[in-house]
Amino acid sequence: MTEKVNRQVVLSERPRGPIEARHFNIVESTVPTPGPGQILVRSIFSSVAPPHRAWIQGVTYRDQVAVGEVIPGLAISEVISGPADGPARGTLVAAHSGWQEYGLADAAEAQPIPVGDHLARHLGVMGINGLTAYFGMLEVGQVKAGQTVVVSAAAGAVGHLAGQLARIAGARVIGITSSDEKNRLLTDKLGYDKAVNRRSDTFQQDLADAVGEGGADLFYDNTGGYVMEAVLPLMATHGRVVCCGGTAAYDGLEQMPVGPRGIPLLIILKRLHLVGFIVLDFLERFGEAYEKLAGWIDGGQLADLAEVRDGLDAAPQAMVDLLAGDSLGNLAFRIGPDPA
Ligand SMILES: NC(=O)c1ccc[n+]([C@@H]2O[C@H](COP(=O)([O-])OP(=O)(O)OC[C@H]3O[C@@H](n4cnc5c(N)ncnc54)[C@H](OP(=O)(O)O)[C@@H]3O)[C@@H](O)[C@H]2O)c1
């Protein structure tokens, strides 16, 4: 009998500047055998997100990805085999099995997910992005009705949900993206009050006009860099900044300014509260968040933007496109068919 082949996306070379598709390789290996406490899964979907770039760049809250290593990440998968006290064969799970057709994951950490039509959603609005937006905006941001809220990467996987949650809370919401097309979608379909283009020559003025004289009470920041530098001077006194992500610094750190410049004095003068968080801080409350998110989706108040590309081979270019701003909402790729 011929052994089953496992196709995998590995890091072929560590980028020294912006990442390119050639920094990845598609390789073949044999399907692994689970060790004690592990499950073998067949992957159906995985997603591409800025943290992948950060993990390649250096040590974060996890080890740096080594050259030759399979790109890590969460996947929606079907359990093939594992320990008797783990999820049964055929169970659908969200597990950290990486960008490959077959992977191993810790049985205790695999999260069973319901069978349904929207499997990829468990990587998006009903997965880590929805949870991040929920806890970032509502708990860390403490958003209140009547506040003016600015969201960076506002059409991104986390951003488009964070902005809508602020809108649901009764805030006035301003999004920042890199295209007029994305901005139209935010204002026409997702209920943002205003949206400005960070690539426009008049970005700073457009942002100031959108925020208005009262300043921004809350800034949900996904990017850092020059976008953060543009927003902070427009914050209201005692304003709050939710530091969710620093995408501007992930891709080619050597070329990035260390910045934001001139910020410490600004923080003092405006008495700003900058609060960082990691969504896993709220692990014990994930159930509550899933319930609320599902309610808003079912009630038509929360829409999710998602793009699914076809095949494992699409992953390297998807990573490049994501960082270039050429994606909308959660960017996933299909690795294998849905279970029969
Ligand atoms: N704290 C946590 O627990 C947690 C959890 C999950 C994710 N995150 C972080 O949240 C952030 C958003 O993640 P995501 O998955 O939703 O990604 P995303 O926003 O869908 O994708 C990245 C977006 O960032 C924007 N961007 C790229 N380079 C930029 C630059 N140099 N300056 C400004 N904007 C730039 C682009 O949007 P435009 O071109 O439209 O601006 C791009 O589409 C990431 O930084 C991620 O690491 C944090």
Side-chain angles (χ1 to χ4, degrees), residues 124-143 157-166 168-169 218 220 222 242 244 277-279 282-297 302:
V125 61
M126 291 303 286
I128 212 73
N129 299 326
L131 295 168
T132 303
Y134 180 93
F135 290 109
M137 182 56 77
L138 304 182
E139 290 297 323
V140 184
Q142 295 285 314
V143 65
V158 172
H160 83 285
L161 300 171
Q164 291 182 85
L165 293 182
I168 291 169
L218 178 58
Y220 191 104
N222 288 306
V242 176
C244 176
F277 80 105
I278 296 287
V279 64
F282 296 94
L283 193 62
E284 283 168 13
R285 293 179 52 198
F286 279 10
E288 156 206 325
Y290 282 131
E291 221 170 278
K292 287 273 177 54
L293 290 164
W296 285 316
I297 293 170
L302 185 63

Side-chain angles (χ1 to χ4, degrees), residues 11-17 23 55-58 64-67:
L11 182 67
S12 64
E13 182 190 328
R14 194 170 311 287
R16 298 186 60 79
H23 293 120
W55 301 338
I56 289 169
Q57 185 87 317
Q64 184 185 42
V65 180
V67 171

Side-chain angles (χ1 to χ4, degrees), residues 7 42-47 74-77 98-102 308-312 333-337:
R7 298 181 73 244
R42 178 185 70 79
S43 312
I44 302 168
F45 291 106
S46 190
S47 59
L74 202 63
I76 302 301
S77 308
W99 291 4
Q100 54 185 335
E101 290 176 338
Y102 294 90
V308 179
R309 298 199 181 174
D310 196 24
L312 193 69
F333 53 96
R334 183 180 273 284
I335 305 177

